[in-house]
Amino acid sequence: RDMTWSATVSPMPKAGGLLLVFEDRTEMAEASQMRRDFVANVSHELKTPLTAISGFIETLRGAARNDPAAQDRFLGIMESEATRMNRLIRDLLSLNRVESEERVRPKGKADLAGIVGAVMRNLGNLSDGEGVTLTAEGVEAPLLVPGDPDQLTQVVANLTENAIKYSGRGSTVTLRLTSEDANPMVLGPAAILSVSDTGEGFDPTHIPRLTERFYRVDTHRSRAQGGTGLGLAIVKHIVNRHRGRLRIESAPGQGSRFSVILPRNT
Ligand code: ADP
């Protein structure tokens, strides 16, 4: 790729020579561009609900002043826009935390079978509401991995929630646990958690960008489902922290599978 280098030349009086300091300006420029894009994205994501809320306040004071039915409807919309802002801020804080901890090795042990059970219980209402069948396989016995139980719960919850939200009425979401003695992706014994759905899937060309913050295959659908566009970015950082790998497979019309491969020994 193209590289832009900058050199700082400073005289070194004692040694009687020159010190040349090279730095990769391409990487620095990319990092600050990413920061600017991120700030622009966050501002836009917050401004959309705020604009709606401000607009409805105006209407409640004016045109809808003596119309209780309209007031009720507008207050409902304002409430859901406020909820959207809350969710976004919650996910931003969560992303911030997992990013700052990414280089800190997780302490403790987590039982993936217990985590799958807890996530199934928590998301039972959502799957019922969406008309999706939620099932699990391989969860009869505990499957222990070194790791942070809360963060791994967040991984399983985010992947399962996505599968439920995007696969639609009548589809099935399956959480499957398997264990391997030697997995090439983690160079040793591994625990694999996969979340597959029989939904619409997407074109695999999206896969490389899917874990980027705010990247969505279908923005309209994500917003309608209350998505923040940060769920998979959070998953990626947690999986990295655990020295694991995230594998994404999808085919249009056939559904998707998200697999987390975690080392059992670290
Ligand atoms: P969001 O809050 O939009 O769900 P995510 O980071 O969790 O953000 O996911 C990014 C995008 O990936 C989603 O907007 C959606 O387009 C796509 N996606 C994630 N999981 C699935 C799935 N199981 N089936 C179809 N599309 C999915």
Side-chain angles (χ1 to χ4, degrees), residues 89-102:
I89 290 163
R90 181 203 61 195
D91 281 0
L92 282 168
L93 290 172
S94 186
L95 183 64
N96 213 31
R97 205 172 35 245
V98 298
E99 236 183 323
S100 67
E101 285 174 350
E102 192 171 325

Side-chain angles (χ1 to χ4, degrees), residues 162-163 165-166 197 202 210 215-217 222 227-229 231-232 258:
N162 277 348
K165 283 190 318 193
Y166 296 114
D197 66 66
F202 45 82
L210 222 52
Y215 185 87
R216 289 138 159 151
V217 174
S222 159
T228 60
L232 290 178
F258 290 72

Side-chain angles (χ1 to χ4, degrees), residues 91 158-167 173 195-197 199-202 206 209-223 225-235 248-250 255-258:
D91 281 0
N158 285 6
L159 295 178
T160 309
E161 208 178 313
N162 277 348
I164 295 170
K165 283 190 318 193
Y166 296 114
S167 67
V173 170
V195 179
S196 31
D197 66 66
E200 287 165 25
F202 45 82
H206 291 287
R209 299 200 58 194
L210 222 52
T211 57
E212 283 175 21
R213 302 145 165 195
F214 298 117
Y215 185 87
R216 289 138 159 151
V217 174
D218 179 344
T219 305
H220 181 75
R221 182 139 190 216
S222 159
R223 279 188 211 286
Q225 293 283 3
T228 60
L230 297 175
L232 290 178
I234 293 170
V235 165
I248 305 174
E249 298 152 286
S250 193
S256 314
R257 179 162 65 201
F258 290 72

